[in-house]
Amino acid sequence: MFSWRSNSQHDQENDLLHSESKVKELRAALGPLSGRSLQYCSDACLRRYLEARNWNVGKSKEMLEETLKWRSTYKPEDIRWHEVAVEGETGKVYRAGFHDRHGRTVLILRPGMQNTASLDNQIRHLVYMIENAILNLPEDQEQMAWLIDFTGWTLSTSVPVKSARDSINILQNHYPERLSVAFLYNPPRIFEAFWKIVKYFLDAKTFQKVKFVYPKNKDSVELMKSYFDEENLPIEFGGKAILQYNHEEFSKMMVQDDVKSANLWGSDDKLQSIGNGHSGAEVAPEPACHAAPAS
């Protein structure tokens, strides 16, 4: 027993040393960084990119440099709620007021509640919500969980394949190892045709994180409940909680988070107070937590 434990500890120490060595190697390969790029590239960030590329420093460097280019032009950390609030009026994507059993932030997506036509704005709203989920991660967590409710979803309300591909590419390429699991709850049979196309845009690691849950399939239901407390899980996902999306209340939370984000990234030129009723979900307030920069 003692020998086994020692070997296990030895393996863990070796893994840690290997990880630290790779992080140093990647940082050296990136060269000098400044400003937000330097802030973004924490050791934890570099580890996520290395993990996403199986610890290949060259491939990780290429991936991370593409993200830094994207962030310098798209500026996801500068998106403010008042710019995307109209996208959130129906609660098609919002941060839940509960965590999963591991303490991870939860995003609820309801594609059947689509309310706008601009694909660019829809993606911008999703990016904002991903950044917000990361901003609100507990200090000991780096990943989020997604719950996708297909109530009301039809082919006519689904996003075009190109938009789905673009959204997936952003998640995979610019937020690697940020998604822990995505539960697709009770999708209609017609979704299968859409999925057959979309799944080819997923890399192997992301594909493994997508779980289909059907109320009549005991194994899939049990898997989902292993991630979530039934008391917290909304009834739309087979749980016991009743969560009513309240756009006004959610907006108040997002405006507060915009201030937190501006303080984190050192930008506040776009902050505005919102008095036009654009707000969000009726969810229990979460304890304040100081997250590392979104990365």
Side-chain angles (χ1 to χ4, degrees):
M1 175 65 74
F2 178 78
S3 175
W4 175 86
R5 182 178 299 172
S6 297
N7 287 337
S8 176
Q9 290 175 343
H10 182 68
D11 289 344
Q12 290 177 356
E13 289 173 0
N14 283 341
D15 288 345
L16 180 59
L17 289 173
H18 177 263
S19 170
E20 291 177 349
S21 173
K22 288 291 186 179
V23 167
K24 290 179 180 178
E25 190 178 344
L26 176 55
R27 189 172 296 284
L30 287 169
L33 297 171
S34 61
R36 291 183 179 179
S37 292
L38 177 61
Q39 184 178 358
Y40 180 80
C41 291
S42 63
D43 284 357
C45 170
L46 268 56
R47 277 192 294 271
R48 284 191 294 273
Y49 280 81
L50 284 162
E51 178 72 27
R53 289 297 180 262
N54 296 312
W55 300 90
N56 182 303
V57 173
K59 292 181 179 179
S60 302
K61 173 178 179 285
E62 181 180 355
M63 184 186 192
L64 182 48
E65 286 177 338
E66 286 301 314
T67 292
L68 294 178
K69 290 178 185 177
W70 175 76
R71 292 187 72 90
S72 70
T73 55
Y74 202 86
K75 299 187 183 301
E77 72 277 15
D78 282 344
I79 302 173
R80 298 292 175 248
W81 177 246
H82 69 269
E83 299 174 272
V84 296
V86 65
E87 296 289 339
E89 287 181 350
T90 59
K92 64 188 178 190
V93 184
Y94 68 95
R95 176 168 55 84
F98 60 89
H99 296 105
D100 71 2
R101 293 186 187 275
H102 299 281
R104 292 180 286 235
T105 303
V106 178
L107 282 187
I108 292 179
L109 294 83
R110 304 190 292 177
M113 304 297 287
Q114 184 57 261
N115 62 322
T116 62
S118 172
L119 301 180
D120 289 342
N121 288 343
Q122 291 168 16
I123 292 177
R124 191 170 174 81
H125 173 242
L126 178 62
V127 168
Y128 174 89
M129 292 312 309
I130 291 173
E131 289 278 325
N132 183 265
I134 294 169
L135 183 71
N136 285 280
L137 283 174
E139 289 184 358
D140 62 340
Q141 290 294 342
E142 295 187 26
Q143 296 183 311
M144 70 188 87
W146 286 14
L147 289 174
I148 305 175
D149 172 20
F150 282 88
T151 301
W153 186 92
T154 64
L155 283 177
S156 63
T157 60
S158 69
V159 298
V161 170
K162 181 184 182 301
S163 181
R165 183 191 63 195
D166 291 348
S167 299
I168 289 170
N169 285 341
I170 286 174
L171 177 65
Q172 291 182 158
N173 297 332
H174 302 315
Y175 296 96
E177 298 303 312
R178 281 303 195 181
L179 180 68
S180 62
V181 65
F183 285 104
L184 281 61
Y185 191 80
N186 202 27
R189 182 173 294 275
I190 197 171
F191 177 75
E192 292 177 9
F194 185 74
W195 175 247
K196 284 181 179 178
I197 300 173
V198 170
K199 69 179 182 180
Y200 289 107
F201 303 140
L202 299 173
D203 61 34
K205 288 193 174 185
T206 305
F207 184 81
Q208 293 297 321
K209 296 175 181 180
V210 177
K211 312 294 182 183
F212 284 77
V213 181
Y214 298 94
K216 294 182 180 180
N217 184 305
K218 183 179 179 180
D219 289 342
S220 67
V221 170
E222 289 302 314
L223 175 64
M224 186 171 179
K225 289 182 179 178
S226 72
Y227 280 80
F228 296 95
D229 185 332
E230 198 173 9
E231 299 298 322
N232 289 334
L233 200 60
I235 56 175
E236 292 86 352
F237 296 97
K240 297 181 178 180
I242 298 177
L243 293 183
Q244 190 78 31
Y245 180 81
N246 183 309
H247 189 57
E248 183 175 349
E249 290 303 313
F250 190 72
S251 287
K252 291 177 182 178
M253 291 200 310
M254 294 301 98
V255 171
Q256 292 174 352
D257 282 353
D258 282 352
V259 174
K260 184 163 61 172
S261 178
N263 290 335
L264 180 66
W265 291 103
S267 59
D268 59 4
D269 55 306
K270 297 170 69 177
L271 290 177
Q272 294 182 3
S273 60
I274 301 176
N276 58 5
H278 287 315
S279 315
E282 188 176 289
V283 291
E286 297 194 67
C289 61
H290 301 287
S295 52

